[in-house]
């Protein structure tokens, strides 16, 4: 597939809405694109919405975990929204730790949570 995932900027936040199942190449491209955009914009927060995603494999789960860790290293808070039950199960079974990541049921709640976190 290799379609680029759009990354939108809203104030000091980047918003990513993953709209289709990721293949390995698209996931790697997303990781590179997000980190470059974070560096270019000095974003303080990132919201990654996974609402449409019903399934992820082990490689995609690892890339997602890496993206979250890398974003933190670059000084951004991350909120993951819309995690489906099967995705949550996969992440836990693979040992992907999201201890320092905020989560929310939907994008609106995720943006609110991030806004409050960045005010502190």
């Amino acid at each position: 597939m290799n379609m680029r995932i759009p990354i939108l900027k809203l104030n000091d936040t980047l918003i990513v809405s993953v709209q289709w199942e990721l293949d390995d190449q698209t996931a790697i491209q997303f990781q590179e694109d997000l980190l470059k955009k974070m560096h270019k914009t000095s974003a303080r927060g990132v919201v990654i919405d996974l609402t449409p995603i019903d399934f992820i494999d082990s490689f995609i789960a690892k890339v997602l975990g890496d993206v979250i860790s890398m974003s933190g290293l670059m000084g951004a808070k991350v909120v993951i929204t819309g995690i489906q039950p099967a995705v949550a199960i996969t992440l836990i079974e693979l040992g992907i730790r999201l201890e320092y990541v905020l989560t929310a049921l939907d994008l609106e709640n995720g943006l609110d949570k991030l806004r409050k976190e960045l005010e502190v």
Side-chain angles (χ1 to χ4, degrees):
M1 182 180 330
N2 197 19
M3 297 174 61
R4 281 213 151 114
I5 296 171
I7 302 169
L8 308 174
K9 184 179 181 299
L10 177 66
N11 301 319
D12 59 354
T13 300
L14 298 179
I15 301 170
V16 181
S17 182
V18 180
Q19 293 295 311
W20 58 85
E21 303 294 331
L22 298 176
D23 59 46
D24 294 358
Q25 190 174 7
T26 303
I28 294 296
Q29 186 65 55
F30 160 64
Q31 178 177 311
E32 292 174 10
D33 290 348
L34 180 60
L35 295 175
K36 285 178 186 174
K37 186 97 170 196
M38 288 176 61
H39 180 67
K40 180 180 177 184
T41 64
S42 299
R44 294 178 46 215
V46 177
V47 177
I48 302 173
D49 182 45
L50 300 175
T51 301
I53 306 302
D54 294 323
F55 170 79
I56 58 173
D57 64 22
S58 59
F59 181 77
I60 303 301
K62 182 191 178 316
V63 170
L64 182 61
D66 290 349
V67 164
I68 293 165
S69 297
M70 291 172 191
S71 297
L73 286 173
M74 293 183 70
K77 300 275 184 184
V78 178
V79 178
I80 302 292
T81 63
I83 295 177
Q84 300 297 323
V87 173
I89 291 167
T90 301
L91 290 170
I92 296 303
E93 286 179 347
L94 294 173
I96 307 294
R97 300 283 179 214
L98 302 179
E99 296 148 348
Y100 304 106
V101 178
L102 300 170
T103 59
L105 290 176
D106 59 35
L107 184 58
E108 183 178 4
N109 288 328
L111 285 168
D112 287 344
K113 196 175 269 195
L114 182 61
R115 191 176 313 115
K116 289 174 186 170
E117 186 71 19
L118 292 176
E119 287 176 359
V120 175

